[in-house]
Structures are given as structure tokens and as C-alpha cells.
Amino acid sequence: MAVAGGPPLLAAALAAAWISIASAASLPPEQAGKSQKPINCMPCSRTYIGDAYTYTFTDQLAHHRGLAGITDSGELYNVLTDDVEVPTLSELHRQLVGEGSHRRLVYSMKFGACQDAMVNFLDGYDAHLVIIEKLPNGVFADPFELQHFVERKVFLDVAVFGDTNLELPSALSNRSAIEIHLDLRPSTSTNCNLVVDLPLHARYPPLDVSGYATFEFGSPDLFLRYRKKETHSDSCLWVLKNLEAAPAEKAAWRIPCGDEAHIGFVSSITFLLALVCSISIVLATLIF
């Protein structure tokens, strides 16, 4: 949806923030600390949270920065949400499943506000769970494969940011990140538990004496994106709540790689085999 009346919305948000700050200043310190923290908003015209932050996925210092700590002064600003009982994430587990160069990153999540509370929230709001996984340099996700998950309605939507060239080896590629949008309604029938599978693939790693290259995954960013169902197009905003989950278990992927000491031997054998095959093809053509 297109966003109209941007400046009036911004003025209203700033006014609300000013009133909140003034109110907090008049409270005792212990009460002021309990006042509700502002959370981020984004216009409905923006489909993905990662749209404004693609530069962080190829920056050398990206692994030191979380997506939740970045603000966009143009379109992303703080507002206060009152009287909204938003589901909270109570547990997050993540593990790497499978063998070889094609594996799955499995997320297991449990929400604290369960059953009736979740149903009541979803009755009044359009809400999606958003997972942003920043991949290490030697791992990639296939955008075409992920699109099949959307077609089968496993994901509501998905996007890959950063380096999407599937053919490049680790030494020539940059980092990438996946943003997944999930429907929360299935969790209401499974005791507020949600399991998500993300298929991943390994790139050809650089040479290493140990024979293996190890790639570690950092903690993902999890957001709850919601808006009132009766929102009009001229005042449509998604509210983004950072679920602030505890750091997930570290996942490490050991990928076999070549040994630099074997380059001469492997290159010689490869050249001789190629030469013999070429000569055999030429002789077969001349004889027959």
C-alpha cells in the first residue's frame, strides 16, 4: 500500500513521544523505568524489513551489528503502543540438521502469551513473525528453492539480501541474509509452538591445511510485525516489535576443503587425464 500523509504521521508520532517523555519525567525513577519503551514502525509500502539495510550484509563489520540496532531516520521512527497485549517469545532453539553440503537450519520457538491470548491478538491484528538470519560467508540460500516454500504456503513471504550468486566460491562471495515471514495462526493449535526449517547450502571453501573450513552462525533477529485490521491505506503502518529472544545456540558447519599441499599433485593428474582423453577422442575420430 502507498503511504500518504507522511509528514502528519511523523508529527503525530513525535508529539506522542514528547508527551511520553514529559510524563516519564514527572514519574518517580522506579516508575519511569517501567514505562513502555518505544518500538519501531515502518510504512505498509515497504514489504521487507531488510530493504533499508542491505549494506550491512556485505559490510566487513556486519557481524558486529544487529539489525534491531539500526534506525532509518527517513521512514523508520518510534511510536508508543498502548493497551496492546503483544505475544512474547519465551523459548528459542536452533540447530543445524543434516550432513554434507546441503543442510537445514531448524528453529523451535514457543510463545509465552498462549492459546486464548494469542487468538484474541490475531483476531484484532494482522500479525507476522519475521526471522532475519545473517548467513556466514561460506553458506547461501537458494532464492528459487525458498520461493517454492512460499508457493506451498510454508512461508508467507521470503527474501534474500546480499550476494545471491549461487555459483561463486567462498573466496569470491559476500555475505547474505534471509528474511522469512511466517503466519502465527498455526501456533495456536500446537500449544503456541512453532517449528521452521530453512534449507541452506555450502559454497566451495578456500584451501585449508586442516582439510575443513568451519562457518559459525550468529543469533538471528526476530520481530513481530503487526497492524490493526481496519487500518486505512492513508495511515497504514506496520508496528515492529523486537522479540529480544535470548541468544540462540551457536550453530557451526564444518565443510570439507582441499589441502594446499596437494595442489601440484592434483593439478598434474588432472592435466594428464585431460590430455589422454583429448588424444583418445582425436584418434577415435581419425580411425572411425
Side-chain angles (χ1 to χ4, degrees):
M1 299 180 184
V3 177
L9 287 175
L10 179 58
L14 292 175
W18 175 260
I19 294 172
S20 175
I21 294 171
S23 300
S26 63
L27 293 174
E30 61 275 8
Q31 295 184 15
K34 297 178 181 179
S35 60
Q36 189 170 6
K37 295 181 180 180
I39 56 181
N40 289 327
C41 285
M42 61 183 284
C44 294
S45 59
R46 177 174 290 170
T47 305
Y48 303 109
I49 300 174
D51 280 343
Y53 313 119
T54 53
Y55 69 91
T56 64
F57 305 135
T58 55
D59 190 272
Q60 293 181 352
L61 300 179
H63 61 283
H64 294 299
R65 295 184 287 188
L67 188 63
I70 304 172
T71 59
D72 180 0
S73 59
E75 291 183 298
L76 199 59
Y77 48 86
N78 293 332
V79 297
L80 297 176
T81 54
D82 298 325
D83 302 326
V84 178
E85 294 185 7
V86 180
T88 57
L89 188 66
S90 59
E91 295 181 21
L92 170 64
H93 302 284
R94 183 188 60 177
Q95 59 179 338
L96 199 60
V97 178
E99 298 180 353
S101 298
H102 308 280
R103 302 191 184 185
R104 295 177 295 115
L105 198 60
V106 181
Y107 306 84
S108 300
M109 293 163 281
K110 182 176 179 60
F111 289 88
C114 196
Q115 298 300 332
D116 293 339
M118 176 72 82
V119 172
N120 292 336
F121 175 75
L122 295 176
D123 284 342
Y125 292 87
D126 290 323
H128 305 152
L129 175 66
V130 179
I131 301 175
I132 298 181
E133 183 71 55
K134 297 179 285 293
L135 301 180
N137 197 27
V139 179
F140 71 93
D142 186 345
F144 304 101
E145 180 182 18
L146 295 179
Q147 192 59 40
H148 290 309
F149 280 68
V150 178
E151 294 171 359
R152 299 201 308 266
K153 302 187 183 305
V154 178
F155 302 153
L156 289 177
D157 204 351
V158 67
V160 179
F161 300 97
D163 198 337
T164 57
N165 190 327
L166 311 184
E167 302 299 329
L168 291 178
S170 296
L172 300 179
S173 65
N174 290 313
R175 298 184 64 194
S176 60
I178 301 100
E179 178 174 336
I180 305 171
H181 294 197
L182 298 163
D183 188 2
L184 288 174
R185 287 196 176 275
S187 66
T188 60
S189 60
T190 57
N191 198 29
C192 291
N193 292 308
L194 196 62
V195 178
V196 182
D197 280 19
L198 175 62
L200 298 175
H201 311 278
R203 297 183 184 274
Y204 292 109
L207 300 176
D208 193 279
V209 176
S210 66
Y212 286 92
T214 302
F215 301 101
E216 293 187 353
F217 294 77
S219 294
D221 293 305
L222 282 84
F223 297 90
L224 184 64
R225 189 179 77 160
Y226 62 94
R227 66 185 180 188
K228 285 185 175 293
K229 289 189 174 181
E230 65 273 12
T231 300
H232 300 290
S233 58
D234 60 345
S235 60
C236 182
L237 288 174
W238 285 110
V239 179
L240 296 176
K241 176 179 172 57
N242 186 351
L243 294 178
E244 297 180 348
E249 299 92 339
K250 283 190 176 181
W253 192 343
R254 295 184 74 236
I255 302 173
C257 63
D259 189 341
E260 191 172 1
H262 300 156
I263 289 181
F265 175 76
V266 173
S267 299
S268 300
I269 296 298
T270 303
F271 175 76
L272 289 176
L273 289 175
L275 182 61
V276 170
C277 291
S278 300
I279 294 174
S280 299
I281 293 173
V282 172
L283 292 177
T285 303
L286 295 176
I287 295 175
F288 299 102

